[in-house]
Amino acid sequence: MTDLPSSAKIVIIGGGIVGCSTALHLGRMGQTDVILLERGRLTSGSTWHAAGLVGQLRTSANITRLLGYSVDLYDRLEAETGQATGWKRNGGLRLACRPERMIEVKRQATTARSFGLDMHVISPKEAQDLWPLMQVDDVVGAAFLPTDGQASPSDISAALAKGARMAGVTIREGVAVTGIAVENGRVVAVETDQGRIACEKVVICAGQWARAVGRMAGVNVPLVSIQHQYVITERIAGVTPTLPTLRDPDRLTYWKEEVGGLVMGGYEPNPKLWDVDPPPSPFEFQLLQPDFDHFEPIMELALGRVPALAEAGIKQMINGPESFTPDGNFILGEAPEVKNVFVGAGFNAFGIASGGGAGMALAEWVATGAPPFDLWTVDIRRFGRNHHDLDWLRTRTMEAYGRHYTMAWPSEEPEAGRPLRRSPLYDRLQQAGACFGEKLGWERPNWFADRAAGEEPVDRYSFERPNWFAAVAREHKAAREGAVLFDQTSFAKFELVGRDAEAALTWICANDVAKPAGRIVYTQMLNARGGIEADVTVTRLASDRYLIVTGTGFATHDFHWIASNIPDGLDARLVDVTSAQAVLVLMGPLARAILETLTRDDISNAAFPFGRAKRLSVAGCPVLALRVTYVGELGWELHVPVEFAATLYDALHFAGGPYGLANAGYRAIETLRLEKGYRAWGAEIGPDHSPLVAGLGGFVKLKTAIPFLGRAALEAQAAAPLPRLLAGFSADPSVTLLGRETIYRDGERVGWLAGGGFGHTVGRALGYGYVRRPEGVDRDFVLSGRYELDVAGERVPAEAFLEPPYDPTGIRIRA
Ligand SMILES: Cc1cc2nc3c(=O)[nH]c(=O)nc-3n(C[C@H](O)[C@H](O)[C@H](O)COP(=O)(O)OP(=O)(O)OC[C@H]3O[C@@H](n4cnc5c(N)ncnc54)[C@H](O)[C@@H]3O)c2cc1C
């Protein structure tokens, strides 16, 4: 038995790189009543056998920022702790062997520049000069990131652990956590094989065991163990210690130097599960049996790149299990199920690269209750009801692993584990030619193929105009000129019920929701920094009842945000009603004419104006109709109990036939809303951006004296010049904007596009991004510049705008 303390403020479970980094950062933040418990010895899980490549570039600016933090930390860690780390900043090369890959690489270089990283596009010859051992006959080009590097995973973790101890954190090896005690929805203690530790907070950094450890607290950590292999060669002449790391996605392989030889690993398209649940324990410093047959195709691809490999002796073949997630991103943050249980796990074979930054972010999240910046891409609340089943998780995660090095096409959809969640209209939509996409397990029509014209409802991806471009243009035109019907049943829908529902939402919402029943309010919900945590419509159904509608993918996040911010003592309960109601959205100038034929209720503009909700009887169906729009046209969201959905859909199409009513999908919603300047959470708006910088200041009740969450931060921001402002950009229709294109104003880099697409009515490429300037940005500054966008390495002229390019109704709000 050890002398474990009987209590600690914070208990970290797991002593891999992520637990050690979290411990170091908590300690350095002055949190010293912290104990890290490791069942075996430090690093003995996945960390010790990692290959040690540290790359930084991801598609999210803030995840790249985390990885950049890792690099900065690893640069100084040895000096700070006196412990060697094996860290070398020798750069990273990425090859392209096909024209499409070269476009991808060029776009990545643009992304890197947008995010402040130095990444050069170079020729095959220049790549070979940096990596002389490789043959480049099939190489079209490459990109070089000079600040990437490599580390010794065990040493760097040992240095993090040493730094944590130096900062006052306690680390205990040989202590297994066997249970987590939860009372009244919050954690109170961990049970170990050597006694109980009462605690306020628990941080689960248990790698592949995190799913099992999470279950101890009733928390779902959706990750899967997959076998991952690499070889280490004997010394090879010409391999120097300064060799950059190398990624060769078309040959599915990665490389780095190690003791004069090479490490070479790869991502096979047919990964092998580590088929155990839960993973065995102990599994200390253990590996799995190497599978040469399985690795052979990777080896053959590798030999084509580095012929010297054929002559090199293989010193060791490593088969290490590692945790992977269904979307290839790691998992961070407070679990939505239990207060004060935090998770840092599922690192998808880039835990060494992420460890420094992820530990920093997690420590701040644990200590302050909020992440340092928007981490939605890795937030545990991005998962939902579809992420509980292990078999489904495995199916989807294996696909994600197999796609690690395949082309990352714009708008690419997953295929595995589908269909899972289906609206009651699914079969009808399929019959009508729907090409479905997937969000949080839901099948949602992205676009409709005109089979009579020979179109197939299949996505063919491209960096230029994809095969659905014409179909979306058709739907877009129908919405602008006639009428369309969207199935948006997957909307997340909550009801806030109780005597104090108004008081609770008045605190949580930035806009004024204290309205009479039947009013709809478009509002943001802000964090204490004034950043936008949710972007929703709030409809008052009765004095003690509100309906809150938000995007499909935000179901878990927004529910957690609202539920956890209801002030103590108020009578207000949040209920998820998503599965009870289907939502048909009828939009377009002819929407009223169609709906009128199906209801005896008065839906004239006078009787049913914009921003109102009414219960209607439509073709026998009890409908809650919301007069809102996210596409900039006259129309209604028709909420109906699921068992009426098919009847309502059929009736609308029957009535709409003479008016040319068309089915339309999510890709048309996107092009329509871009043209109308409506913001999307997770793209243009999110926790890092306030309504003021996002151009949504008109939806904030700052002119009243009503207190609300985030008010103080907004007031402070309003009192000074804004550091950035969201602007729209339009470019020649031949340009393809996808997001992350760098924005240049008068030749200076001022930001990047958060999202992009095409405006079919205005006939221009459109995108939105923040224009930044340390001394402040105002409308004049935005509008007075001469702009260019970097699109795959080419500067194209663009025009900035602050008013929507399409705005016939002048309605500036979604609700
Ligand atoms: C073959 C291979 C190559 C890789 N190459 C790279 C690379 O080049 N670059 C890169 O960035 N990443 C790489 N990785 C990924 C990297 O190794 C992992 O992402 C990283 O080590 C994960 O760290 P962790 O702290 O989350 O998990 P782990 O290192 O697994 O740590 C979790 C710890 O939790 C402990 N634990 C579990 N349950 C309990 C319990 N109940 N009580 C107490 N302790 C518990 C375990 O014993 C373990 O030590 C590679 C992985 C593999 C398998």
Side-chain angles (χ1 to χ4, degrees):
M1 297 298 263
T2 58
D3 53 342
L4 276 188
S6 60
S7 74
K9 188 170 172 197
I10 301 168
V11 177
I12 300 171
I13 306 171
I17 188 164
V18 179
C20 292
S21 175
T22 307
L24 170 128
H25 288 94
L26 278 170
R28 288 186 176 179
M29 290 174 75
Q31 300 277 340
T32 50
D33 190 7
V34 178
I35 186 165
L36 182 155
L37 304 176
E38 164 54 48
R39 181 182 49 206
R41 276 166 291 158
L42 294 181
T43 76
S44 62
S46 289
T47 297
W48 70 280
H49 56 61
L53 284 81
V54 175
Q56 297 168 85
L57 187 61
R58 309 290 293 179
T59 49
S60 146
N62 281 353
I63 305 308
T64 297
R65 195 166 155 194
L66 275 194
L67 300 176
Y69 178 95
S70 293
V71 163
D72 289 345
L73 176 69
Y74 301 164
D75 266 345
R76 48 177 215 270
L77 194 59
E78 188 163 331
E80 287 173 356
T81 60
Q83 159 75 48
T85 59
W87 168 243
K88 294 195 285 191
R89 222 189 227 240
N90 40 0
L93 256 180
R94 179 174 277 263
L95 304 181
C97 300
R98 311 187 259 152
E100 315 88 89
R101 181 72 77 181
M102 196 59 213
I103 298 174
E104 184 188 66
V105 162
K106 283 182 180 166
R107 282 192 174 266
Q108 285 170 333
T110 297
T111 301
R113 276 193 289 277
S114 290
F115 301 168
L117 288 176
D118 194 19
M119 189 171 187
H120 314 284
V121 175
I122 58 176
S123 68
K125 169 76 176 64
E126 288 167 314
Q128 198 180 32
D129 289 346
L130 287 165
W131 229 90
L133 256 75
M134 69 173 170
Q135 74 77 24
V136 290
D137 293 355
D138 58 340
V139 176
V140 179
F144 182 60
L145 227 156
T147 52
D148 274 2
Q150 64 184 67
S152 156
S154 299
D155 290 343
I156 211 143
S157 305
L160 290 165
K162 189 169 175 197
R165 286 195 181 99
M166 286 161 69
V169 170
T170 305
I171 295 180
R172 287 293 157 82
E173 294 173 281
V175 181
V177 171
T178 53
I180 298 176
V182 175
E183 284 174 15
N184 299 324
R186 60 173 63 219
V187 66
V188 292
V190 297
E191 307 284 353
T192 78
D193 55 356
Q194 293 158 49
R196 179 181 172 101
I197 305 177
C199 64
E200 282 176 27
K201 298 177 183 179
V202 162
V203 195
I204 301 174
C205 298
Q208 300 168 86
W209 297 269
R211 190 165 174 272
V213 174
R215 268 205 299 257
M216 295 175 188
V219 162
N220 184 38
V221 186
L223 50 79
V224 168
S225 293
I226 296 181
Q227 306 186 29
H228 187 65
Q229 304 200 94
Y230 64 83
V231 291
I232 309 171
T233 74
E234 303 286 359
R235 283 179 182 278
I236 300 178
V239 173
T240 57
T242 55
L243 208 61
T245 60
L246 174 67
R247 291 176 182 81
D248 187 0
D250 292 308
R251 289 177 179 269
L252 309 177
T253 47
Y254 61 81
W255 305 75
K256 75 160 219 203
E257 179 275 341
E258 187 162 300
V259 213
L262 289 171
V263 162
M264 186 278 291
Y267 286 85
E268 61 279 28
N270 55 338
K272 274 180 76 177
L273 281 171
W274 189 25
D275 193 2
V276 285
D277 178 41
S281 142
F283 187 79
E284 202 180 338
F285 294 120
Q286 286 188 55
L287 292 171
L288 304 176
Q289 197 58 32
D291 185 340
F292 287 98
D293 291 345
H294 195 72
F295 198 65
E296 200 180 325
I298 295 282
M299 189 59 118
E300 272 171 22
L301 288 167
L303 281 167
R305 178 66 60 227
V306 182
L309 197 62
E311 312 301 323
I314 301 293
K315 199 156 61 178
Q316 197 182 0
M317 181 164 185
I318 302 277
N319 182 0
E322 157 73 339
S323 55
F324 289 84
T325 61
D327 62 3
N329 280 316
F330 52 88
I331 307 173
L332 224 56
E334 187 179 10
E337 298 95 336
V338 183
K339 181 122 190 78
N340 287 342
V341 171
F342 294 83
V343 177
F347 277 86
N348 291 279
F350 66 106
I352 308 307
S354 325
M360 175 277 289
L362 189 53
E364 181 151 343
W365 214 325
V366 172
T368 69
F373 40 75
D374 177 6
L375 291 173
W376 169 240
T377 317
V378 295
D379 193 318
I380 191 166
R381 293 168 296 178
R382 72 188 188 277
F383 299 114
R385 298 168 77 171
N386 53 316
H387 293 104
H388 286 254
D389 182 81
L390 181 62
D391 294 308
W392 188 88
L393 276 181
R394 284 178 164 183
T395 306
R396 177 57 63 80
T397 305
M398 299 269 277
E399 176 182 71
Y401 179 107
R403 285 184 176 185
H404 184 87
Y405 276 149
T406 60
M407 294 285 304
W409 294 111
S411 307
E412 193 177 22
E413 294 284 348
E415 284 168 20
R418 296 177 55 186
L420 185 63
R421 299 175 86 177
R422 276 177 274 192
S423 123
L425 304 172
Y426 178 82
D427 294 337
R428 281 172 166 74
L429 299 170
Q430 197 174 40
Q431 282 267 311
C435 182
F436 291 93
E438 188 256 19
K439 188 62 96 27
L440 217 66
W442 284 95
E443 291 297 317
R444 312 189 313 169
N446 273 340
W447 59 281
F448 288 82
D450 181 354
R451 287 210 186 85
E455 285 177 0
E456 267 183 284
V458 177
D459 282 341
R460 297 194 209 293
Y461 303 112
S462 165
F463 281 109
E464 307 300 331
R465 288 189 173 175
N467 68 318
W468 60 82
F469 188 85
V472 171
R474 205 163 53 224
E475 294 166 23
H476 188 114
K477 188 169 165 26
R480 292 276 182 254
E481 296 174 7
V484 294
L485 195 57
F486 301 106
D487 177 16
Q488 296 191 258
T489 298
S490 64
F491 265 149
K493 292 149 260 160
F494 316 132
E495 284 190 10
L496 189 72
V497 187
R499 213 173 43 244
D500 301 321
E502 179 185 304
L505 281 182
T506 295
W507 169 247
I508 298 169
C509 296
N511 206 345
D512 187 1
V513 295
K515 303 283 183 198
R519 293 292 175 101
I520 307 168
V521 175
Y522 167 55
T523 183
Q524 286 79 47
M525 298 176 173
L526 309 183
N527 57 36
R529 299 194 312 265
I532 302 172
E533 288 288 342
D535 180 64
V536 302
T537 56
V538 172
T539 302
R540 189 156 204 171
L541 300 177
S543 63
D544 61 351
R545 185 177 292 262
Y546 285 88
L547 170 68
I548 301 162
V549 179
T550 187
T552 310
F554 315 136
T556 310
H557 175 275
D558 288 9
F559 189 93
H560 179 251
W561 182 262
I562 299 166
S564 53
N565 281 295
I566 296 172
D568 285 345
L570 292 193
D571 176 34
R573 295 169 308 285
L574 192 64
V575 185
D576 187 338
V577 296
T578 302
S579 301
Q581 303 282 323
V583 183
L584 290 176
V585 180
L586 179 67
M587 288 287 148
L590 302 182
R592 182 179 289 115
I594 294 169
L595 194 59
E596 264 170 355
T597 64
L598 296 173
T599 181
R600 291 176 181 276
D601 294 300
D602 185 356
I603 58 164
S604 65
N605 195 46
F608 198 159
F610 188 78
R612 300 293 170 90
K614 280 191 165 199
R615 295 201 183 272
L616 306 178
S617 196
V618 182
C621 307
V623 168
L624 175 69
L626 272 54
R627 175 105 189 263
V628 289
T629 180
Y630 191 50
V631 298
E633 300 298 337
L634 167 72
W636 286 267
E637 263 177 29
L638 305 172
H639 294 238
V640 66
V642 285
E643 69 273 26
F644 290 97
T647 301
L648 181 62
Y649 177 86
D650 291 346
L652 284 166
H653 272 293
F654 185 75
Y659 296 90
L661 178 67
N663 285 304
Y666 274 82
R667 294 207 175 121
I669 294 177
E670 179 65 10
T671 60
L672 289 158
R673 73 103 194 161
L674 279 175
E675 228 170 37
K676 190 60 176 51
Y678 291 134
R679 279 62 170 142
W681 197 87
E684 299 91 18
I685 56 175
D688 288 347
H689 305 299
S690 76
L692 304 184
V693 298
L696 296 170
F699 305 105
V700 181
K701 56 190 174 223
L702 271 185
K703 288 196 180 121
T704 72
I706 303 167
F708 63 92
L709 183 52
R711 177 169 189 129
L714 281 196
E715 281 173 344
Q717 194 177 52
L722 294 175
R724 62 190 176 281
L725 202 55
L726 185 66
F729 296 89
S730 77
D732 189 83
S734 61
V735 173
T736 304
L737 297 179
L738 301 170
R740 298 189 299 280
E741 292 84 358
T742 318
I743 306 166
Y744 290 90
R745 181 187 178 280
D746 295 342
E748 298 275 313
R749 201 178 70 208
V750 291
W752 63 91
L753 294 190
F758 196 79
H760 291 279
T761 308
V762 298
R764 301 273 291 167
L766 299 175
Y768 291 84
Y770 287 89
V771 174
R772 294 151 205 260
R773 187 169 70 144
E775 11 354 340
V777 177
D778 58 16
R779 294 174 63 90
D780 286 348
F781 179 78
V782 169
L783 295 175
S784 62
R786 189 186 54 80
Y787 288 91
E788 289 169 309
L789 301 172
D790 177 335
V791 180
E794 296 206 0
R795 299 263 188 110
V796 301
E799 283 162 29
F801 58 83
L802 289 169
E803 307 304 330
Y806 172 84
D807 194 19
T809 60
I811 295 167
R812 291 292 157 75
I813 52 170
R814 182 174 144 209

